[in-house]
Amino acid sequence: KNQVEQSPQSLIILEGKNCTLQCNYTVSPFSNLRWYKQDTGRGPVSLTIMTFSENTKSNGRYTATLDADTKQSSLHITASQLSDSASYICVVIHAGGYQKVTFGTGTKLQVIP
Amino acid sequence: GAVVSQHPSWVICKSGTSVKIECRSLDFQATTMFWYRQFPKQSLMLMATSNEGSKATYEQGVEKDKFLINHASLTLSTLTVTSAHPEDSSFYICSARDDSRFNYGYTFGSGTRLTVV
């Protein structure tokens, strides 16, 4: 079982609508949690980075939340645009000197006109 | 901001030949870099961790003699796919960890699409 599970696997929304992507993790302890956006055929680009003590972090229309008690994170996209169509990946960096990285399963978002 | 340059962005090679992919941190030093492979519609899979000045650490199931990694400087790691076969066709991505930002600095390259014919 993957230590970082994302839902939904895929999502289609109308342009201008909001959406929320979920990330549940079992990694413990962890150093920080990140959300990345990956366009098809491109490398992932960082959207937000949160340490275990942070609850929320915003980057433009992207807002990430973190609940370390329930081990859940969400990425909220406001007023979606066609260019938001991509895969969104939740990544957890393990605590400790080695800093192992665990990738989530990803959510493929498609924004349609 | 931190930038990682990966080159080439795409390459087509004949079966049996070798291909080298470069991963370069442009504005920071990276003692540690990572190499991933991603098949269509799947998540990134870590292949190996590249450490400057020492041998790479390979994940289970990854052939170290087939995927040669060299990390000779603090800004450059290379992945060489030796004797490539069609099943090696994939999207290869590197990431680099910024030495000066231990807890935060993971930046990905733009990826290399390898097609072996």
Side-chain angles (χ1 to χ4, degrees), chain A residues 31-32 34 36 38 41-46 49 51 54 89 91 93 96-101 103-106, chain B residues 9 34 36 38 42-46 49 57 59 91 93 97 101-111 113:
Chain A
S31 172
N32 57 88
R34 305 148 181 258
Y36 286 87
Q38 185 179 21
R42 306 287 295 175
V45 174
S46 179
I49 302 172
T51 66
E54 294 179 291
I89 307 170
V91 179
I93 312 299
Y98 185 61
Q99 290 218 328
K100 179 181 176 181
V101 178
F103 285 85
T105 47
Chain B
S9 56
F34 305 88
Y36 303 87
Q38 186 176 33
Q42 294 188 21
S43 185
L44 282 77
M45 292 176 51
L46 179 65
T49 301
T57 303
E59 295 299 301
F91 191 55
I93 306 174
R97 190 173 72 194
R101 301 167 64 209
F102 188 71
N103 277 328
Y104 300 93
Y106 286 86
T107 303
F108 286 87
S110 55
R113 170 74 60 192

Side-chain angles (χ1 to χ4, degrees), chain A residues 45-71:
Chain A
V45 174
S46 179
L47 295 176
T48 62
I49 302 172
M50 292 181 291
T51 66
F52 61 88
S53 61
E54 294 179 291
N55 299 121
T56 186
K57 185 70 69 79
S58 290
N59 178 2
R61 294 181 296 103
Y62 302 102
T63 300
T65 63
L66 174 63
D67 186 333
D69 292 330
T70 61
K71 293 185 170 56

Side-chain angles (χ1 to χ4, degrees), chain B residues 31-51:
Chain B
T31 300
T32 304
M33 294 186 179
F34 305 88
W35 287 96
Y36 303 87
R37 181 165 52 182
Q38 186 176 33
F39 292 106
K41 300 183 179 180
Q42 294 188 21
S43 185
L44 282 77
M45 292 176 51
L46 179 65
M47 299 174 64
T49 301
S50 167
N51 299 293

Side-chain angles (χ1 to χ4, degrees), chain B residues 15 50 59 65 72 79:
Chain B
S15 187
S50 167
E59 295 299 301
D65 294 330
L79 169 69

Side-chain angles (χ1 to χ4, degrees), chain B residues 45-111:
Chain B
M45 292 176 51
L46 179 65
M47 299 174 64
T49 301
S50 167
N51 299 293
E52 187 269 339
S54 64
K55 291 183 179 180
T57 303
Y58 290 83
E59 295 299 301
Q60 192 172 11
V62 178
E63 300 174 58
K64 62 180 181 180
D65 294 330
K66 180 170 184 60
F67 299 98
L68 300 180
I69 291 173
N70 183 280
H71 193 156
S73 79
L74 289 173
T75 60
L76 175 64
S77 176
T78 61
L79 169 69
T80 301
V81 182
T82 63
S83 187
H85 291 286
E87 56 264 31
D88 297 324
S89 298
S90 186
F91 191 55
Y92 293 85
I93 306 174
C94 71
S95 72
R97 190 173 72 194
D98 188 338
D99 287 346
S100 66
R101 301 167 64 209
F102 188 71
N103 277 328
Y104 300 93
Y106 286 86
T107 303
F108 286 87
S110 55

